Amino acid sequence: MSEHRCNIALTVNGERVTETVDARKTLVDFLRDDLILTGSHVGCEHGVCGACTVRVDGVVVRGCLMLAAQCDGAKVETIEGVSDSGEIADLQAAFERRNALQCGFCTPGMLLTAQELLTNGQAPSREKIREHISGNYCRCTGYHAIVDAIEAVAKQRAGGQT
Ligand code: FES
Ligand code: FES
């Protein structure tokens, strides 16, 4: 059976991309296989673990639950993009400083989800942080260090520090 293919044009991390993709290809597979942006990980492939988290038109989504074809005309941002731009440099530094990652499999998704929470400049409670990252699974850390890191950055940002 031949695959149905379609042409898509989108922006990925600020660069214009045009590709022909299988209609059933997920966004995360497209990013990893076609664009070699392998920072977005594939875990459950069912929208549960958050390893595939990316931003589409500014909104955090599960890359395994979106089709690449649905992103025609969209602005997609991956961990590579937000890392290169320096947008989450403080979060990355805090994760490293507080040992908030071990194997690193969950980390790209965790960082993007944390950034989503912190973009409004508020300093959320630890309970709110836990609630917000509850859709991002970590097999290694037990979450305490991750919450510590996010809380520290939230306080820094709310206090106007870098
Ligand atoms: S791989 Fe997408 S949520 Fe788990
Ligand atoms: S650091 Fe290993 S899954 Fe989170």
Side-chain angles (χ1 to χ4, degrees):
M1 184 169 64
S2 64
E3 290 282 352
H4 181 66
R5 296 177 69 79
C6 51
N7 299 320
I8 57 172
L10 63 163
T11 303
V12 180
N13 297 332
E15 292 189 15
R16 190 87 177 141
V17 173
T18 56
E19 289 280 351
T20 302
V21 295
D22 293 341
R24 292 183 299 180
K25 189 162 213 168
T26 63
L27 173 58
V28 69
D29 283 345
F30 168 68
L31 293 168
R32 290 177 56 84
D33 299 345
D34 295 44
L35 305 185
I36 320 300
L37 292 169
T38 54
S40 307
H41 294 149
V42 179
C44 66
E45 299 184 77
H46 286 90
V48 176
C49 73
C52 60
T53 300
V54 294
R55 285 199 306 225
V56 177
D57 291 332
V59 177
V60 164
V61 301
R62 307 286 207 209
C64 70
L65 292 185
M66 277 195 86
L67 297 173
Q70 290 177 286
C71 295
D72 186 34
K75 174 185 165 192
V76 176
E77 296 167 285
T78 70
I79 190 64
E80 290 89 348
V82 296
S83 184
D84 288 349
S85 72
E87 179 186 333
I88 59 165
D90 52 358
L91 271 170
Q92 290 169 306
F95 268 55
E96 185 177 359
R97 195 164 52 243
R98 293 172 181 269
N99 295 318
L101 65 152
Q102 291 179 29
C103 78
F105 190 81
C106 70
T107 311
M110 199 68 82
L111 287 166
L112 280 165
T113 301
Q115 176 66 354
E116 178 188 41
L117 176 65
L118 300 187
T119 43
N120 61 8
Q122 304 282 313
S125 64
R126 290 180 70 84
E127 185 180 24
K128 179 66 184 168
I129 293 169
R130 283 188 177 279
E131 180 187 322
H132 195 79
I133 64 170
S134 63
N136 290 74
Y137 291 3
C138 178
R139 297 168 295 186
C140 307
T141 65
Y143 299 98
H144 294 293
I146 292 172
V147 175
D148 287 346
I150 296 170
E151 182 182 37
V153 173
K155 286 180 177 171
Q156 281 175 8
R157 291 191 188 180
Q161 300 168 30
T162 56

